[in-house]
Amino acid sequence: MSETCFTFEEYCDDLGPIKIVHLHEPSCGLRGIVVIDNVACGPSIGGVRMAPDVSTREVFRLARAMTLKNAAAGLPHGGGKAGIVADPRTPDKARLIRAFARAIRDLVDYIPGPDMGTDEICMGWMHDEIKRALGLPRVLGGIPLDEIGATGFGLAECAEVAAPVCNLVIKGATVAIEGFGNVGKHVARFLEEKGAKLVAASDRKGTIYDPAGISVAALMEAKVASGSVVGYSKGKKLDQAEIFGLPCDILIPAARPDCIHKDNVETIQAKLILQGANIPATPEAETRLYQRGILNIPDLIANAGGVTCASVEYHGGNEAQAFQEISQKVRRNTQEVLSRSRKEGIEPRKAAVDLARERVRHAMTFRACG
Ligand code: NAD
């Protein structure tokens, strides 16, 4: 493992982590890390990342992000995360995943889910070993959150609550989406259903822009047929990065981290940004957006549809219940963060983090110590 040295000073604060566990099973070459950050709100949920270079520090940061996201979303769950130090293409994957599952059998406060390098099949193997995993295949009672568009649905609900705050009406509002994948294509679909007009979308290969409006169904077909949104027959084809400066009312980054930064933040014309991706803007760019009066709803509020869906699955709910829960939670939390941000004159991200920390601290008052 790249890091074996642990100091309490480096990791610990008022929230956690409560456990950092290093796993080693020499018989099958398993090397893993589990960080359970905080369980005051409930058992921790967070994905298992499989990568050759995954580190304790990375797993800790992701576990903390899950503590805040789950609390901000109002879920009865704490935050945790795990890493398996291996190439996800290894032919030994099933053996490693199964060994990992057995090694965490007694860490009952951690519920694994999929993350980079793991998927629903891996979760099926874990479920077989320890009957404790999220993001299961449908046949095992899972709700396929990417297929149903859980995160995109939540973003569209968030848009409806945030729009009036920046004098926008969703019906007729123009939308640009960076990244037309599981998150991007579904938010496009749900916003179109609410009457918004998609004018631009991008992926790894470029941007398609048509101020007259792009049909979401036709764009999905073009992407399947040609492998990219730029295969769409109408509109203008532009470079990938050009999407950020296009005229639109709502901009949704739904691909990479840090894609809104000091070099493009001044070019943004949107009135409302909904963060579909995790940390799509640098902290400096977020502050600049706030100064420019652009309403920017942070990831831990706007993209909580996926984790909410996973929680509903864990508690035995069905798809219809997942949609209901996402709508209710995302709307309420968006409202709360916006009103805090306005009342206290702080950036929406700070309002969201403050809200999450308060909820966790409140839950911690119910825990006995010793
Ligand atoms: P995905 O792989 O399905 O889609 C990503 C899309 O982004 C693809 O269309 C890809 O071509 C495009 N892309 C990649 N690099 C790009 C670039 N440089 N410029 C423009 N487009 C680019 O992934 P996803 O599941 O849609 O996740 C997208 C983001 O949302 C990630 O940051 C992920 O962590 C975050 N997120 C996803 C979920 C979820 O439910 N899937 C939930 C919360 C957050």
Side-chain angles (χ1 to χ4, degrees):
M1 231 168 289
S2 51
E3 291 167 294
T4 47
C5 176
F6 166 81
T7 59
F8 283 98
E9 288 69 27
E10 187 182 357
Y11 289 100
C12 299
D13 64 11
D14 58 327
L15 299 190
I18 59 166
K19 278 182 197 154
I20 297 182
V21 181
H22 288 149
L23 309 166
H24 185 210
E25 181 47 67
S27 65
C28 66
L30 169 72
R31 290 192 293 164
I33 305 145
V34 180
V35 177
I36 302 177
D37 183 44
N38 189 294
V39 295
C41 295
S44 67
I45 57 178
V48 180
R49 179 163 291 192
M50 185 183 265
D53 57 352
V54 65
S55 68
T56 306
R57 181 170 290 107
E58 179 184 0
V59 176
F60 164 66
R61 288 182 60 208
L62 294 165
R64 172 54 55 85
M66 290 309 295
T67 299
L68 298 177
K69 184 178 238 179
N70 294 339
L75 300 176
H77 289 290
K81 201 84 182 181
I84 298 177
V85 187
D87 184 331
R89 290 162 304 183
T90 172
D92 238 7
K93 192 162 182 173
R95 223 154 64 95
L96 282 177
I97 294 282
R98 285 180 178 279
F100 172 82
R102 290 193 296 272
I104 64 163
R105 189 188 301 276
D106 295 333
L107 290 176
V108 291
D109 271 344
Y110 172 62
I111 305 158
D115 192 69
M116 268 168 51
T118 60
D119 57 15
E120 61 171 35
I121 297 168
C122 301
M123 295 308 119
W125 294 327
M126 295 222 197
H127 176 79
D128 183 45
E129 294 288 340
I130 58 170
K131 299 284 175 285
R132 199 173 82 234
L134 286 170
L136 296 171
R138 205 193 277 267
V139 67
L140 297 180
I143 307 175
L145 62 92
D146 281 336
E147 191 184 310
I148 67 171
T151 302
F153 174 75
L155 282 158
E157 296 294 287
C158 176
E160 259 184 345
V161 176
V165 177
C166 39
N167 298 319
L168 278 177
V169 178
I170 295 290
K171 198 166 168 43
T174 54
V175 180
I177 300 179
E178 181 238 18
F180 202 66
N182 284 321
V183 174
K185 70 181 178 204
H186 287 296
V187 64
R189 177 168 68 86
F190 287 115
L191 282 175
E192 185 180 63
E193 278 172 18
K194 291 180 193 292
K197 181 164 83 167
L198 182 70
V199 293
S202 70
D203 60 20
R204 267 188 204 95
K205 301 206 175 132
T207 297
I208 188 84
Y209 173 54
D210 189 348
I214 297 171
S215 150
V216 175
L219 187 62
M220 284 188 193
E221 274 173 31
K223 179 146 170 101
V224 171
S226 71
S228 169
V229 291
V230 295
Y232 187 70
S233 56
K234 297 183 212 145
K236 250 198 211 163
K237 292 164 191 41
L238 306 171
D239 282 347
Q240 199 188 71
E242 286 184 81
I243 191 150
F244 296 104
L246 293 175
C248 64
D249 298 314
I250 304 174
L251 173 65
I252 304 177
R256 302 157 304 141
D258 295 337
C259 61
I260 300 175
H261 45 71
K262 66 175 171 38
D263 298 328
N264 63 11
V265 68
E266 305 299 341
T267 68
I268 289 175
Q269 301 189 45
K271 292 194 180 101
L272 172 62
I273 296 179
L274 306 171
Q275 299 195 347
N278 291 319
I279 46 165
T282 63
E284 303 73 40
E286 287 204 343
T287 299
R288 192 59 200 129
L289 290 170
Y290 183 66
Q291 290 165 344
R292 289 191 55 208
I294 297 170
L295 187 58
N296 170 35
I297 312 289
D299 45 13
L300 69 169
I301 296 298
N303 76 17
V307 74
T308 305
C309 182
S311 167
V312 170
E313 174 189 310
Y314 179 71
H315 293 280
N318 59 28
E319 257 175 63
Q321 288 163 323
F323 279 120
Q324 202 181 8
E325 192 80 2
I326 293 167
S327 169
Q328 188 233 323
K329 285 203 178 336
V330 171
R331 283 176 170 271
R332 197 191 60 203
N333 291 320
T334 305
Q335 197 76 64
E336 191 162 344
V337 160
L338 289 177
S339 86
R340 240 175 212 253
S341 162
R342 195 178 48 242
K343 269 197 219 128
E344 297 177 24
I346 54 176
E347 290 178 35
R349 177 172 297 277
K350 171 145 176 43
V353 170
D354 287 354
L355 172 75
R357 280 188 162 268
E358 271 167 31
R359 284 183 181 165
V360 176
R361 279 201 211 100
H362 184 207
M364 287 170 80
T365 62
F366 298 101
R367 287 180 71 79
C369 187

